[in-house]
Amino acid sequence: MDLLAHLPALQVVVPMLSAPLIVLLQPRGLAWAGATAAALVSFAIALTLALAVLDGQTLEYAMGGWPAPYGIALSVDAFSALLLLVITGAGATALLAARSSIDQQVESERQPLFYSAWLLVLSGLVGIVVSADAFNIFVFMEISSLASYILIAGGPDRRALPAVFKYLMMGTIGATFYLIGVGLIYMMTGTLNLADIQDRLGDVTDINPVLVAAGFITIGLALKAAVFPLHVWVPNAYTHAPHMVTVFLAACATKVALYVLIRFDYMVFQATLEDHEIQFALFAMPLAILGILIASAVAMFEGHLKRLLASSSIAQIGYILLGASFVSMAGLSASAMHLFNHALAKGGLFLAVACLAYKYRDLRLNQLGGAAARMPWTCAAFVVCGLSLIGVPGTAGFISKWLLITAALESGPWGWGLVAIILVSSLMAVVYVWRIVEALYFQAPVDGEGPTSEAPVQMLLVTGFIALLNIYFGLFPQVPLELANSAAALLLEGSQ
């Protein structure tokens, strides 16, 4: 049996079938071990798929042997392989580090259910990425969203409940918009398979329902992706969720919605609607610029560590959208690369935050004075990931920002203006990262008492490893860069 041919299906099946089994595992340590093992297997599958894609293969899978467009089709190309690495890597890394933090934040009898929901989020997110038809993207979107609500509300902070309610309302509106758009597309073409939609849209004579569908799908996915100004659910959801849930979701959840938005627009609408690339650029670029500047400004004045990093994430989403709005090879490559690099930087930052939160009950900056003297390894990892977020040379963040600047210069006469915006926003990132560093290293402790030791070794090792990966991929970016370049070429080819 050729196992490689079945890996696209196993990528979804392994975490999905593991989820109900985890509920049965007692005591809580066994549930954590089972969930971590399933997540690591998922990451191994994603890695194998990425290597196959780098070898020039595009993996297609027909569920039940029913060929597309009649059956459920799965597909893994360079773009999806890059996202699979991000999702499964974030899920497995956060779980590896999670045990002590989850023991502290989630009641022991509820932990099997909690880890089960974690695997459902993982299976939903990878399902979105490998699905080759519009309706199954919606199904997996709902699976991951419903399980995400459970994870965010699963901690001891009761403020998570209104945050989840807001997330649920915004998420439901986004999913409804997406479903209405898909329904209109199905009404006009009679198919839900993305490749088949692209083929049949060329024969549609009444284009108005398709334009309306494009609007609904774009707005719905922008809501899910937290594109400015549709991001209002993000700060509270990230702030009040259990710390390891924030690590997982901040690294990949909104990026999956951005992935669908970019793929749908390039592979379906730009290929069939006249001048749609201009409409996409006119929609995406202003929102991206506003998101970058306003969210960075908010982060500069935010006093709570998790909320500050959540605002920063809105700005980083703006960078990804800005690259896609150039509708060029360089822009799409920068966008795909930033999907990967931001997951590394922000995942590492939130891991360091989880380490700090293990010792400090209050994560406001004025309460973290002198933390570096007490938790030097945690704070060192935070600094490395912060440098990557800023885009300092030698870190992963520099690679994607350099690609973005190059793409901006190639985009036309306004390119220097866009470069100025990227540089100004990077300086704003210096300011808000420095505020944290200043509190950790240079402010005196609020009182004489405080933590006398580092976070548990397991959390610390994983955090340090992710910090080192930020340096490694800053010096040796070949693998994600090759996937990003292939993804960009694929999207541009699909839009022709």
Side-chain angles (χ1 to χ4, degrees):
M1 184 177 70
D2 183 8
L3 185 60
L4 180 63
H6 296 279
L7 287 186
L10 289 174
Q11 182 75 91
V12 182
V13 167
V14 168
M16 182 168 283
L17 291 188
S18 301
L21 298 178
I22 297 300
V23 179
L24 305 175
L25 295 180
Q26 297 286 350
R28 62 192 183 193
L30 204 55
W32 169 80
T36 305
L40 287 171
V41 170
S42 291
F43 179 65
I45 292 172
L47 200 56
T48 309
L49 288 169
L51 291 173
V53 168
L54 285 170
D55 203 32
Q57 299 185 54
T58 295
L59 297 153
E60 308 281 352
Y61 191 85
M63 295 295 290
W66 289 83
Y70 307 105
I72 297 173
L74 307 178
S75 176
V76 178
D77 56 26
F79 199 18
S80 44
L82 189 69
L83 262 292
L84 289 177
L85 286 177
V86 169
I87 297 164
T88 58
T93 302
L95 272 176
L96 272 174
R99 187 174 178 186
S100 300
S101 181
I102 296 300
D103 282 349
Q104 193 183 55
Q105 290 201 287
V106 180
E107 296 164 16
S108 56
E109 62 271 19
R110 291 195 293 116
Q111 286 189 17
L113 288 169
F114 183 85
Y115 288 122
S116 177
W118 189 297
L119 291 181
L120 285 177
V121 174
L122 183 61
S123 66
L125 293 176
V126 296
I128 293 170
V129 171
V130 300
S131 288
D133 72 86
F135 184 72
N136 279 301
I137 287 174
F138 169 76
V139 172
F140 284 118
M141 202 184 287
E142 288 307 286
I143 290 172
S144 65
S145 296
L146 291 172
S148 297
Y149 306 146
I150 296 170
L151 288 187
I152 294 170
D157 192 340
R158 294 300 89 189
R159 290 172 294 181
L161 297 177
V164 164
F165 182 72
K166 183 183 285 185
Y167 182 17
L168 187 152
M169 295 303 294
M170 299 295 282
T172 303
I173 293 170
T176 304
F177 270 53
Y178 175 80
L179 192 60
I180 291 171
V182 169
L184 287 169
I185 291 286
Y186 183 72
M187 186 178 75
M188 301 307 294
T189 62
T191 183
L192 292 168
N193 182 274
L194 294 178
D196 210 32
I197 291 172
Q198 183 184 4
D199 290 339
R200 297 193 190 189
L201 269 182
D203 300 327
V204 173
T205 52
D206 184 5
I207 209 68
N208 288 331
V210 180
L211 292 172
V212 174
F216 270 106
I217 289 171
T218 303
I219 298 296
L221 292 172
L223 258 167
K224 289 277 190 183
V227 171
F228 181 89
L230 306 173
H231 65 284
V232 291
W233 57 270
V234 169
N236 284 344
Y238 284 11
T239 303
H240 302 308
H243 305 304
M244 285 302 171
V245 172
T246 309
V247 174
F248 181 26
L249 297 183
C252 63
T254 53
K255 295 177 180 63
V256 173
L258 265 181
Y259 160 87
V260 180
L261 174 60
I262 294 171
R263 179 178 284 276
F264 217 118
D265 205 275
Y266 273 83
M267 306 293 278
V268 175
F269 296 129
Q270 290 193 25
T272 52
L273 300 178
E274 189 176 356
D275 295 330
H276 184 75
E277 69 278 9
I278 299 173
Q279 296 165 4
F280 176 75
L282 291 176
F283 166 80
M285 193 176 290
L287 296 185
I289 292 170
L290 287 172
I292 290 169
L293 295 177
I294 295 177
S296 297
V298 170
M300 286 169 58
F301 296 99
E302 181 56 57
H304 191 282
L305 184 52
K306 287 183 80 176
R307 191 177 285 277
L308 184 158
L309 294 177
S311 297
S312 160
S313 289
I314 309 302
Q316 303 298 319
I317 289 167
Y319 285 124
I320 298 166
L321 194 62
L322 181 64
S325 72
F326 292 150
V327 196
S328 67
M329 176 75 187
L332 284 168
S333 181
S335 185
M337 196 65 185
H338 203 62
L339 279 168
F340 182 86
N341 288 341
H342 176 250
L344 270 180
K346 195 53 65 72
L349 286 167
F350 274 118
L351 275 168
V353 170
C355 291
L356 288 169
Y358 192 82
K359 296 291 184 179
Y360 287 86
R361 293 177 62 84
D362 193 337
L363 289 175
R364 285 176 295 175
L365 296 185
N366 58 13
Q367 299 296 312
L368 295 173
R374 294 159 171 168
M375 303 176 71
W377 294 106
T378 296
C379 294
F382 189 97
V383 170
V384 171
C385 296
L387 294 175
S388 184
L389 187 73
I390 294 167
V392 172
T395 63
F398 171 75
I399 303 297
S400 45
K401 281 202 175 176
W402 179 257
L403 292 175
L404 197 59
I405 288 173
T406 305
L409 291 174
E410 292 178 2
S411 64
W414 56 81
W416 282 106
L418 294 171
V419 171
I421 289 170
I422 295 168
L423 293 178
V424 167
S425 64
S426 296
L427 289 174
M428 294 165 90
V430 171
V431 172
Y432 62 71
V433 170
W434 173 253
R435 286 185 63 222
I436 304 169
V437 172
E438 185 181 26
L440 298 178
Y441 282 87
F442 300 109
Q443 286 182 7
V446 175
D447 51 45
E449 299 181 357
T452 55
S453 62
E454 275 280 5
V457 173
Q458 196 170 346
M459 291 173 68
L460 204 56
L461 286 176
V462 175
T463 306
F465 177 68
I466 297 300
L468 290 176
L469 281 184
N470 274 278
I471 296 175
Y472 176 82
F473 283 111
L475 300 175
F476 307 102
Q478 290 84 356
V479 171
L481 189 57
E482 191 174 339
L483 285 172
N485 286 336
S486 299
L490 194 75
L491 289 168
L492 280 180
E493 184 185 346
S495 68
Q496 302 301 314

